[in-house]
Every structure is written in structure tokens, then in C-alpha cells.
Amino acid sequence: MFNKLLKRNTDLVLESGDRSVLISNEAVPAHIAIIMDGNGRWAKKRSLPRVAGHHEGMKTVRKVTKLANELGVSVLTLYAFSTENWKRPKIEVDFLMRLPEEFLTTFLPELIEENVRVEMMGYHHNLPLHTLRAIKKAKEATKDNTGLVLNFALNYGSRAEIVDAVKDIAAQVAAGTLDVCDINEDLISGGLMTKDLPEPDLLIRTSGEVRLSNFMLWQLAYTEFWFTETLWPDFNEDSLLEAIEIYQKRNRRYGGLKGDEVK
């Protein structure tokens, strides 16, 4: 099943500009979530240190953000660092914690000009002060922007997020401010870090890995998945256009029937 979802970029025949116009005439996913994978492998193939792959991947973030905004995507959520990534070598973790600062310092003027609003979801504890300062500065500088929401999932883990939401609901029940009968999906969704965002329409994962890696497990219930073998630093505008084109051909039924109703 998943083999059918793995597709290389081999059949591109239109220029990116022409494809962008065609895509914009169809239903563009309001929220695209991306698991950016393959930076280390990209570097290893070139006999470079892993951090070089992460640095190159930062350039891909810029390109993808710009195009997503131009296409009219409302939210772009990027899985930048998981709660499990702390297990990596310290030198790599330290470098990853510097990347948000470098990216936001370098490209903040461009993000402001492009009307992009920066947000972050994840746990602030453990994050270095310089990382938090850079994110706070970018959020403040872009808070009034009305275009794409660039949402970084940083020190984020979906299971912990769900556990925290359940704990909060349990506390309300124990305090007598919430009846068990009133617990529903909307209540749980409202306790998640994405409560102010639409659920993702399209999930993209690069590098050929076919798993969610503790990313938005609740929110991705009816999301369309697209996996590509392309490593994140090699992911470009044509890659994003291809993913959206395939998304637009999908028949999203949300558990029901569409175009093939039972008589």
C-alpha cells in the first residue's frame, strides 16, 4: 500500500510558474505539515558532517515557505525538532538549536515583506534562551501579518501533547467544573497546541521514511499523506508542486463515500 505513495519527481513537464497557476485554480491544502527528513544522509553522501545537511535544509525551508505563501496555503507546519531528538549527539543538538536563530535573523525581513506570520508549537523547557529569544522576536515582529502562518514544531512530541490535554481534562472533572459526559473530540482538540489552527490537509515526509515519528498523531486522523524519497535539502519548488498536485487528485471521504454513494 505504502509503496504506491512513494514517488520520485520524474514526470515534471510544465514549468513551475505554469504549474503554480494550475494548482491555484484547484483546492489548495489550507494546512501543509512537513516532516523534514534526510539532512544527515544528504551530508553523508557528500562526505560532509551532518550539521552541513541541516544548514542546507534551512535553505529549503526558505524556498518552500515562499512558494507555499504564493500558492495561498494558510498554514505550513515544519517538524524542526522532536522531544526525542535530544538523544542525538550534543554537537548536533547544539547546532540544531542555533538554526532557528540563524534562519529567523537572516530571513526575518523577507518574512515580514512576504506577510508571513511566525508561530511555534512545542515545549519551551530545555530550549536554550537564544533559541527562545529568536522565536519571540520573530513572533512579535510578524504578529500582525495576515498571510501564511509558518509554524515551527520545536521540542514537540505528540504523545506528550495528548497526555497533557487529557491531564487538563481530568483536572477539570476532579474539580467539578466539567462533566465526564461533556468530554468529546472538540474538547480534546481544544487542549492541543494546534487549537488555533486547522487540522493538516496534507502531510509530506521526505527521505523515503514511511512513519509519523510522534508527529501530530491526533491532528492527522484524516490528513492525506505523501512520502517521497527526496532528501530534505534536495526538496524544491517542483517537489512541493508535485505533492500538491497529487493531493488535488485524491478523493477525501472522511470515512464516508464520495462519488460512490450507497443506493
Side-chain angles (χ1 to χ4, degrees), residues 28-256:
V28 175
H31 185 173
I32 298 177
I34 304 180
I35 300 175
M36 305 177 293
D37 199 10
N39 292 333
R41 273 165 283 175
W42 183 92
K44 185 176 180 180
K45 286 174 63 176
R46 291 160 177 77
S47 300
L48 297 171
R50 287 177 57 85
V51 294
H54 294 305
H55 196 271
E56 191 68 22
M58 185 180 71
K59 300 176 185 176
T60 302
V61 170
R62 175 178 178 264
K63 291 185 289 187
V64 169
T65 300
K66 185 176 179 64
L67 179 57
N69 191 35
E70 291 173 356
L71 292 173
V73 175
S74 298
V75 183
L76 178 64
T77 295
L78 302 177
Y79 203 10
F81 191 88
S82 76
T83 50
E84 290 74 35
N85 286 156
W86 295 106
K87 302 172 185 176
R88 295 188 177 188
K90 185 178 185 301
I91 188 171
E92 182 176 353
V93 170
D94 289 344
F95 185 85
L96 288 170
M97 288 297 107
R98 286 289 179 186
L99 274 183
E101 182 180 20
E102 180 178 351
F103 175 84
L104 293 171
T105 300
T106 303
F107 298 120
L108 184 56
E110 185 175 334
L111 294 173
I112 294 173
E113 182 180 348
E114 295 285 339
N115 197 30
V116 172
R117 176 160 61 92
V118 175
E119 292 290 346
M120 174 205 150
M121 69 177 191
Y123 294 96
H124 285 208
H125 65 268
N126 294 338
L127 290 178
L129 287 178
H130 60 80
T131 305
L132 292 172
R133 280 196 299 263
I135 293 169
K136 181 180 179 181
K137 179 182 177 181
K139 289 176 64 176
E140 180 64 26
T142 63
K143 66 180 181 180
D144 295 324
N145 289 355
T146 57
L148 173 79
V149 174
L150 177 58
N151 181 39
F152 289 101
L154 191 62
N155 196 24
Y156 171 82
S158 185
R159 287 186 172 182
E161 174 190 34
I162 294 171
V163 167
D164 285 346
V166 172
K167 284 181 177 178
D168 182 64
I169 292 172
Q172 293 179 56
V173 172
T177 58
L178 177 67
D179 192 284
V180 172
C181 296
D182 293 328
I183 299 175
N184 55 30
E185 292 185 10
D186 289 339
L187 187 65
I188 295 174
S189 294
L192 302 179
M193 297 176 187
T194 52
K195 61 183 179 181
D196 297 321
L197 301 174
E199 293 184 346
D201 298 296
L202 173 63
L203 169 77
I204 298 170
R205 179 162 188 162
T206 58
S207 87
E209 301 293 348
V210 187
R211 57 178 176 269
L212 295 181
S213 298
N214 198 20
F215 183 54
M216 300 177 80
L217 303 178
W218 176 276
Q219 299 90 330
L220 295 174
Y222 285 104
T223 300
E224 295 295 323
F225 294 177
W226 187 74
F227 301 96
T228 176
E229 294 178 358
T230 302
L231 303 176
W232 178 246
D234 292 327
F235 194 89
N236 57 24
E237 292 89 345
D238 283 334
S239 305
L240 180 62
L241 291 173
E242 183 183 8
I244 296 175
E245 285 168 344
I246 291 175
Y247 163 84
Q248 290 177 334
K249 295 174 183 176
R250 300 273 179 88
N251 183 4
R252 303 188 74 192
R253 298 186 297 275
Y254 298 95

